[in-house]
Amino acid sequence: MLEIGWLTWALTIGLIVLLLAVDLVLAAVRPHRVGFGEATAWSVFYVLVAIGFGVWFASVHGGSFGAEYFAGYIVEKSLSVDNLFVFVIIMTTFAVPEEHQHKVLTFGIVLALVMRAIFIAVGATLLSLFSFMFLLFGLLLLFTAVQLFRHRNEDPDVENNVVVKAARKLLPISDEYVGGKLFAKVDGRQLVTPLFLVLVAIGGVDLLFALDSIPAVFGVTEEPYIVFTANAFALLGLRALFFLVKGLLDRLVYLSAGLAVILAFIGVKLILHWAHVDIDDRVPEVATPVSLGVILGILVIVVVASLIKTKGDPSAKAHAGSLRASASESRPQDS
């Protein structure tokens, strides 16, 4: 059992808050178009921070827990790339000016961290009280994997999102971004700007991703501290990664299918763990090194196959994948 003192928790959260504060200050004080060089530097920095933390963690708490951290980090990092697809779709749908995209992403990451912290606390409590939660989490991941694979060539329908539609009906929204403000007075009326709507859309997406990613990382480790840090360090680099790879995302044509396979694998792993604990200890379990190898192997295959596909067929375009058919797909065609 991993023993983490309150001081370690406090220092870890303090480090994450500090890194987030730097991002927020940069976004608020100096709105600008983030170039390739800046995005590369920040991406490398966040990856090195995550690796450095993992090395420290493994040296202090042992190689087994260190392997669980790195496996969880890789799972969350791979799932976060799918987040990027959806962020690109949201930015395009709402025509967010480039100088404000930095701010939107940073607030999106803060929202994601808050939601995931809540889900981690709830998930850890449920797992400690009820072992059958491993079965429920496993079934949830299998359902998600099947749906994602079925709709792997679609994108989420942002405009028809329930939260976004409700916000459009209930709130007076300005036509312009008004200097990147969330609220503005236009012609004597107090309005919310489209930037507020963008944050609502991203918050809704963050909620959906938290529902999938938290059970996924609990399939790798049962330790709340590892789950939290793996999520936090994967999400911290998301803002820089967005600007680094948004031009390359279209080439990852098999990413959604690969993520569906990863989620299905972790779902089976959770169900086997439940069966091992609650039914018969002769039921085999999947060891962490095996999980790490399988996940890395799937990601390598996905990237290589995607690059080969797009090289042979430049018209092939990647999609974020969706958990349900889009409105246009589900509507009957006119005769």
Side-chain angles (χ1 to χ4, degrees):
M1 193 72 178
L2 181 63
E3 296 290 338
I4 300 293
W6 67 267
L7 181 60
T8 302
W9 270 105
L11 291 173
T12 304
I13 294 171
L15 173 63
I16 291 164
V17 170
L18 176 64
L19 292 170
L20 276 173
V22 170
D23 248 8
L24 282 170
V25 169
L26 287 174
V29 173
R30 195 168 65 92
H32 64 289
R33 181 183 181 277
V34 179
F36 182 81
E38 181 182 350
T40 301
W42 278 107
S43 294
V44 171
F45 168 74
Y46 280 120
V47 169
L48 289 177
V49 168
I51 292 173
F53 173 84
V55 171
W56 166 82
F57 183 70
S59 66
V60 172
H61 297 284
S64 177
F65 286 127
E68 289 183 11
Y69 163 77
F70 280 111
Y73 175 74
I74 291 168
V75 167
E76 293 305 313
K77 201 69 175 175
S78 61
L79 290 172
S80 72
V81 175
D82 214 34
N83 277 61
L84 294 183
F85 270 111
V86 183
F87 285 170
V88 169
I89 293 165
I90 291 172
M91 300 285 192
T92 304
T93 301
F94 293 100
V96 179
E98 286 193 336
E99 64 268 23
H100 301 314
Q101 291 181 5
H102 185 140
K103 181 188 295 184
V104 169
L105 286 167
T106 305
F107 274 107
I109 291 167
V110 172
L111 285 171
L113 276 171
V114 170
M115 288 182 184
R116 293 183 189 207
I118 294 169
F119 275 82
I120 289 166
V122 173
T125 302
L126 290 174
L127 289 175
S128 65
L129 294 175
F130 312 105
S131 58
F132 70 85
M133 289 303 301
F134 287 105
L135 173 62
L136 295 183
F137 278 7
L139 293 174
L140 173 63
L141 289 180
L142 285 177
F143 172 77
T144 302
V146 170
Q147 289 296 97
L148 183 59
F149 189 81
R150 286 180 61 201
H151 305 296
R152 63 191 179 278
N153 294 321
E154 300 173 31
D155 290 317
D157 196 345
V158 176
E159 283 288 3
N160 282 311
N161 179 280
V162 174
V163 179
V164 174
K165 287 173 74 174
R168 281 197 183 281
K169 283 184 177 180
L170 298 173
L171 300 173
I173 302 171
S174 67
D175 295 326
E176 303 296 330
Y177 276 87
V178 198
K181 297 177 181 177
L182 296 178
F183 307 94
K185 186 168 284 189
V186 180
D187 297 330
R189 293 180 65 208
Q190 189 68 38
L191 305 175
V192 300
T193 72
L195 193 63
F196 181 87
L197 203 58
V198 170
L199 293 182
V200 168
I202 285 183
V205 167
D206 284 338
L207 178 62
L208 290 176
F209 275 106
L211 285 169
D212 297 334
S213 66
I214 297 306
V217 75
F218 269 120
V220 174
T221 176
E222 298 175 40
E223 301 295 340
Y225 182 78
I226 298 177
V227 174
F228 176 75
T229 52
N231 267 276
F233 286 115
L235 286 172
L236 280 174
L238 199 60
R239 188 267 312 170
L241 191 63
F242 171 84
F243 293 106
L244 180 63
V245 306
K246 67 177 180 177
L248 303 175
L249 285 174
D250 281 350
R251 299 188 65 189
L252 297 176
V253 292
Y254 295 125
L255 179 64
S256 291
L259 291 178
V261 174
I262 289 174
L263 291 175
F265 168 74
I266 298 174
V268 170
K269 182 178 185 293
L270 281 169
I271 293 171
L272 287 174
H273 176 72
W274 165 77
H276 178 85
V277 172
D278 279 11
I279 297 179
D280 192 330
D281 59 11
R282 290 173 295 181
V283 174
E285 291 195 273
V286 181
T288 300
V290 175
S291 298
L292 189 55
V294 169
I295 293 164
L296 283 173
I298 292 170
L299 291 175
V300 169
I301 291 170
V302 163
V303 172
V304 172
S306 295
L307 295 179
I308 292 173
K309 171 68 174 177
T310 51
K311 185 177 180 181
D313 181 10
S315 64
K317 183 181 177 182
H319 296 275
S322 178
L323 297 185
R324 60 188 180 90
S326 64
S328 59
E329 290 287 331
S330 57
R331 280 196 297 264
Q333 298 295 317
D334 294 330
S335 55

